[in-house]
Amino acid sequence: MQQITIVNIEKAVNKIDNLDDDGLEKISETYGLAQQDFLGYALSAGMEFENDTLTGLIIYYFNIFFEAFAQQQVRLNTITNEDIDAFQDEFSQVLEEYMEEEDIDLILAITNQPNLIAFMANELEMADDDGTTLDDETATQLFIVSTAMIGLMNKAIA
């Protein structure tokens, strides 16, 4: 399996961050239509956690992740609800074990994308341009959702 490089993650962030509203809407629509089940799964987390901030962040990182794969020219198969269900059981067990042991190797083993995981860990701790940082609850929720997204995308590499 191919690992996404830091260079391609940076290219993806630069591209997404420099799009205007129309460009963001277009890229979100492009990736969302290509991966409808997956987008629905990711967005459902924002509703389950009842966190509007999380929902916006999920869309942002959804686009960054897909753009990073595109920048690296890694093709993904369509992620289906069946793929999500199969992954979710294993992921839940790993996440529970991770929360107890705080062993990042557990997360790295299920995602196989150390650069994307490192990127997200940095994002969770970093302040925005205006100096705002995520509250602990939102940061934890985003960590869970983004890790699941990365793991599912890794399994979908064609």
Side-chain angles (χ1 to χ4, degrees):
M1 296 261 170
Q2 198 169 13
Q3 294 181 351
I4 304 304
T5 64
I6 294 167
V7 169
N8 287 313
I9 296 167
E10 289 171 350
K11 286 180 185 176
V13 170
N14 287 333
K15 179 174 179 177
I16 299 299
D17 285 353
N18 288 307
L19 290 173
D20 61 15
D21 289 344
D22 289 340
L24 279 171
E25 188 174 320
K26 184 177 179 183
I27 203 163
S28 293
E29 186 177 316
T30 299
Y31 291 138
L33 288 173
Q35 296 282 354
Q36 291 182 28
D37 289 350
F38 183 55
L39 179 59
Y41 162 75
L43 290 176
S44 70
M47 290 182 273
E48 286 177 31
F49 286 121
E50 298 178 5
N51 185 335
D52 292 336
T53 301
L54 178 64
T55 302
L57 291 167
I58 289 169
I59 293 169
Y60 175 73
Y61 289 107
F62 177 89
N63 288 327
I64 286 183
F65 296 158
F66 273 99
E67 186 59 32
F69 277 79
Q71 288 290 331
Q72 193 151 328
Q73 299 179 350
V74 174
R75 202 174 71 72
L76 296 174
N77 294 315
T78 301
I79 299 168
T80 66
N81 284 324
E82 291 77 19
D83 298 328
I84 294 165
D85 291 342
F87 176 79
Q88 196 60 40
D89 289 337
E90 178 186 8
F91 179 68
S92 294
Q93 290 175 341
V94 168
L95 190 60
E96 190 174 310
E97 196 175 333
Y98 170 76
M99 293 298 188
E100 290 174 10
E101 298 179 23
E102 294 188 23
D103 181 0
I104 195 68
D105 289 339
L106 295 166
I107 298 298
L108 295 175
I110 197 168
T111 61
N112 194 39
Q113 292 294 336
N115 295 325
L116 282 170
I117 295 297
F119 163 74
M120 282 310 301
N122 187 49
E123 289 287 297
L124 295 172
E125 294 175 4
M126 226 169 65
D128 283 351
D129 293 339
D130 63 2
T132 306
T133 57
L134 293 175
D135 61 81
D136 288 344
E137 185 177 6
T138 300
T140 299
Q141 293 166 351
L142 182 57
F143 172 77
I144 292 167
V145 176
S146 63
T147 301
M149 290 168 59
I150 293 166
L152 278 161
M153 292 175 78
N154 183 70
K155 287 192 178 295
I157 293 174

